[in-house]
Every structure is written in structure tokens, then in C-alpha cells.
Amino acid sequence: MNSNRLRAVARQFEISGSYLEYRPHGSGHINDTFVAAFSQAGTRIRYIFQRVNERIFQRAEELMDNIARVTAAAAARLEADGVVDSTRRALRLIPARSGKPFVRDAEGRLWRCYLFIEGARTYDIIETPRQAFEAASAFGDFQKLTASIDGPRLHETIPDFHHTRARFNRLREVATVDPMGRLREVAPEWNYIREREEWTDVLIGLAARGEIPERVTHNDTKLNNVMIDDATGAGICVIDLDTVMPGLALYDFGDMVRTATSPAAEDEQDTGKVLMQMPMFEALVRGYLSSVGDFLNEAEKAHMAFSGKLITLEIGIRFLTDYLEGDVYFKTKRPGHNLDRCRTQLALVRSIEVQEEAMNAFVRGEA
Ligand code: ADP
Ligand code: GN1
Ligand code: MG
């Protein structure tokens, strides 16, 4: 990327004023995110520009249709509620001059643009139980919002995204072929995962038997996908809407447990630092139930701790699959990066396993 190319992309959006500068932004594993500043009537205004990874999101235009619907529903709700800072409380897409919610650059690659939410930030690592509470209640509110979206079922932007069984089977296939000759090095991880194979059917089984409902969910509820207000500490806006689609609420709750209870980074190399911290879990449960406690059913509530363990295993499976395949999916910054990430996930699974009874007891007391 360079300034001229970004400026050419920006020109295709309904943005007035003069382009000033841009820089890369964020720490996501899939898309490329930039922040660019413009001078508008004497004020510096920033926008987020994202180049969507169409190798991974092969139905990117459908994905943008989902995002346009979800963000419009959020804006309408905030408007109806008389919220004054509505453009900080939900992502606001900037339309292209063509009228579409995205543009294509000279190479044909798809870009979208959002208003930059000022005075708030995302956290890669949880610092306080308050942040956990705020993140969980924001993601819960988001599920309430998406439950009220009218019209046709949202597009499935990546089919079987949280089909844990399919993720396991895929790892088994890749391990059988072992295209990079890396299997021998990961025998402990692969064995650890194999011993837990039966977990992969649990939530899908509950859904198939009608015991937990399909909902419209976020599906990527990492802590760093919620913006926390710098001044108040409130969770003000859920972001990263690429995977919003029909799914199970428990995968959303579970990914918060995965990303908002441990003091270690997702790619920490010292797995001794990885720990499911009970006060963070308790805050997640309270925050989540404060917004969706009234619509979750008993089976959903009973599997909240399990969902944390399951999705952490699932993401571990995905990191290991990518390592065995030669690091073709997640962005990596060093050799062995995906293996480090896998090991961190498995360490967290272990930490959840030994505390699961206490976690369940806490949920029972709250729900
Ligand atoms: P990725 O899919 O790569 O994770 P995100 O949509 O989560 O991309 O964006 C990456 C980072 O950019 C976020 O963690 C957040 O810090 C920042 N960001 C995204 N959208 C906005 C926005 N509208 N305003 C301010 N910051 C944003
Ligand atoms: C990816 O784009 P990002 O970094 O928010 C991935 C998630 C994983 C996550 C692991 C589309 O999310 O599913 O949970 O990495 N997104 C996609 O950190 O695969
Ligand atoms: Mg993100």
C-alpha cells in the first residue's frame, strides 16, 4: 500500500475534504486495515479503510450486503432510542459514490470504509473484570439487535464456520497428508486434540436436536472486536462484522472466554503464562446475562463454561491445521507462529478443564 493508492480508493467513497495521510491499523489475522485522515471544513476527520481478504471471504459482496443490513438496523435502533452519539455506538459505513457499500481498486480488490470511532480503543489482552463485563454485555446487546433484523436469512459468509466437527475432520485429513512434513513435530498437540474429539459434536448435536436455537450471531467475538470508551470504560461498539450470520449464541460467549480471561497474548510463547482467570469469567457471565439472560434457554446457560473450552479447542485446531498446511490462512509474523498460537489455545483448554466445575457452579448461581 502507498498513499497514492489509498487516496485513489478513498476518492471512490462519499468523503468530502482533502486527503491528508494514512497508516496501517489494528492486529487482525485476515483483512488489511488502515486509518486515513482528511481535512474537512477545518477539522481533521479519520476513517477506517479495510481491504477484504477475498481468498478467505469468497462471497465478499454478500458479506457486504449483510454488513449493510446489520449496520442499518443498528443505526435505526439507536435513532429510535434517541441516542445522541449513535455514530460511535455502531459502525457507520460510508457509501461509495456508486451507491454500493464497497468499492473495487485498480487490481479489482474490494474495500469498505467506516467512520473512525474516536475516543475509544480495542484491547488485545484483558486488563480488568470491568472490561470483561463491558465486552460481554456489548456482544449480548449485539445479539439482541441482530435478533430483530427483518427480511431474508443473512448470507453465510463462510459456510460451516463454527462446525467444530468439520474443523476436526479437516485437521485429521491434513495430518494424514502432512504436506509440509510437520506432523512429527506436533505429535503432543495432535494427540491432545484427538483425545477430546467427542467434544466437537456437543453443540452441533444440541442444535440438531432442537435443544439450542439458531440465532444471528457475531461469530468472532474476540475481545479486540469491541471498542471500549477511553473516558467511561463502557463497551460502546461491536466491530468486525464479517462473520455475522446464522449461528449459535454459545460460540459467541465461548470466544469471549477464549480471548478475555487469560493474561497472556494469543501467541504467547511461554504457555506457563496462560490461565483462565475466574474473576474475568465471572464478569463475562454477568455482563452477558445482563443483556441476554432473558432470552437464553436453559441448555444454552448450562453450556456456557463448556463453550469456552470448546471454541478454544476449535481455534487451536484451526491454528494447527494452518501450521500443517504451511501457514496459508492466518497472517503470521514468524516461523512457528501458528504453532505457538495453537499451543496457547491448548494451554487455555487445560486451564478451563481444571476449573470447569467451579465455572459451572458460578453460572448456576447467576442464571
Ligand atoms: P480484523 O478483521 O482484521 O480483525 P477489524 O475490523 O477488527 O479487522 O479492525 C481491526 C482494528 O481496527 C480493530 O481492532 C480496531 O482497533 C480498529 N477499528 C476497526 N474499525 C474501527 C472504527 N470504525 N473506528 C476505530 N477503530 C476501528
Ligand atoms: C480471525 O480477523 P480476526 O483476526 O478478527 C478469524 C477468527 C479467529 C481469530 C483468531 C474470518 O479473526 O475466526 O477466531 O482470527 N477470522 C476468520 O484470533 O477466520
Ligand atoms: Mg478484529
Side-chain angles (χ1 to χ4, degrees):
M1 189 39 51
N2 64 43
S3 235
N4 282 339
R5 284 165 65 192
L6 196 93
R7 192 199 304 232
V9 168
R11 236 185 256 123
Q12 295 192 61
F13 286 99
E14 289 282 358
I15 298 176
S16 54
S18 356
Y19 168 88
L20 298 171
E21 62 191 2
Y22 90 101
R23 58 180 169 74
H25 193 70
S27 53
H29 299 336
I30 312 284
N31 296 320
D32 301 313
T33 302
F34 304 89
V35 55
F38 291 74
S39 170
Q40 292 179 348
T43 303
R44 189 183 151 89
I45 307 278
R46 298 201 286 174
Y47 296 86
I48 283 278
F49 288 87
Q50 282 182 321
R51 183 169 52 197
V52 176
N53 184 333
E54 289 185 86
R55 203 170 34 81
I56 286 171
F57 294 110
Q58 292 181 2
R59 305 173 184 185
E61 299 198 8
E62 288 185 359
L63 175 162
M64 289 310 301
D65 182 56
N66 280 359
I67 294 185
R69 285 177 63 195
V70 171
T71 52
R77 167 68 56 86
L78 291 162
E79 185 86 3
D81 292 350
V83 174
V84 282
D85 61 346
S86 62
T87 53
R88 289 184 78 234
R89 303 294 300 276
L91 284 176
R92 181 61 62 99
L93 270 177
I94 305 299
R97 295 192 192 278
S98 67
K100 290 187 179 168
F102 60 86
V103 307
R104 290 200 176 269
D105 66 15
E107 284 108 54
R109 301 182 64 180
L110 187 145
W111 291 78
R112 65 177 165 233
C113 176
Y114 293 116
L115 280 181
F116 187 95
I117 297 168
E118 300 286 353
R121 51 168 291 205
T122 53
Y123 293 80
D124 288 332
I125 300 181
I126 193 79
E127 291 168 1
T128 63
R130 165 89 200 284
Q131 289 171 344
F133 181 97
E134 289 292 329
S137 82
F139 282 123
D141 284 340
F142 184 82
Q143 280 181 358
K144 269 187 155 160
L145 170 82
T146 55
S148 69
I149 295 177
D150 300 323
R153 194 168 181 265
L154 290 183
H155 305 288
E156 286 190 40
T157 60
I158 299 183
D160 287 341
F161 190 60
H162 284 306
H163 197 297
T164 316
R165 160 57 64 183
R167 296 290 189 182
F168 177 87
N169 290 350
R170 174 95 185 94
L171 172 60
R172 187 163 47 197
E173 277 166 34
V174 174
T176 307
V177 179
D178 190 20
M180 310 298 290
R182 292 177 173 178
L183 186 63
R184 186 205 285 260
E185 181 195 356
V186 305
E189 288 76 20
W190 174 217
N191 286 333
Y192 183 88
I193 291 168
R194 266 198 294 198
E195 284 161 16
R196 286 155 185 78
E197 177 181 351
E198 65 191 33
W199 299 356
T200 67
D201 295 314
V202 172
L203 295 190
I204 298 163
L206 286 171
R209 294 191 298 277
E211 291 176 46
I212 58 176
E214 177 182 284
R215 303 179 184 279
V216 177
T217 51
H218 183 282
N219 295 304
D220 189 7
T221 54
K222 275 161 94 160
L223 177 65
N224 68 14
N225 284 334
V226 59
M227 309 238 13
I228 308 273
D229 188 279
D230 292 335
T232 66
I236 54 164
C237 182
V238 164
I239 62 170
D240 205 344
L241 308 179
D242 294 323
T243 52
V244 176
M245 59 181 150
L248 302 180
L250 283 170
Y251 282 110
D252 276 6
F253 182 75
D255 212 40
M256 298 179 218
V257 178
R258 181 179 78 82
T259 59
T261 64
S262 172
E266 189 184 61
D267 58 357
E268 173 60 56
Q269 288 175 289
D270 177 0
T271 53
K273 292 188 180 153
V274 177
L275 179 66
M276 199 304 294
Q277 302 174 100
M278 203 62 184
M280 301 301 181
F281 177 75
E282 293 173 2
L284 287 178
V285 171
R286 290 203 167 115
Y288 192 56
L289 293 178
S290 76
S291 46
V292 292
D294 50 352
F295 82 36
L296 291 184
N297 73 21
E298 291 312 309
E300 287 174 312
K301 289 177 186 166
H303 287 82
M304 286 172 76
F306 174 81
S307 72
K309 182 172 94 165
L310 179 70
I311 197 160
T312 308
L313 184 76
E314 178 187 295
I315 304 298
I317 288 173
R318 291 178 58 197
F319 286 141
L320 188 61
T321 305
D322 200 30
Y323 181 67
L324 292 180
E325 286 200 288
D327 309 307
V328 292
Y329 187 96
F330 297 103
K331 288 182 188 169
T332 53
K333 294 198 173 121
R334 55 175 188 256
H337 203 167
N338 275 316
L339 181 56
D340 292 339
R341 289 169 173 151
C342 166
R343 288 181 171 147
T344 310
Q345 304 312 298
L346 301 188
L348 187 58
V349 171
R350 226 167 273 136
S351 179
I352 298 174
E353 275 185 311
V354 298
Q355 299 181 79
E356 198 173 355
E357 252 174 61
M359 293 164 79
N360 279 328
F362 180 80
V363 175
R364 277 195 299 274
E366 293 291 311

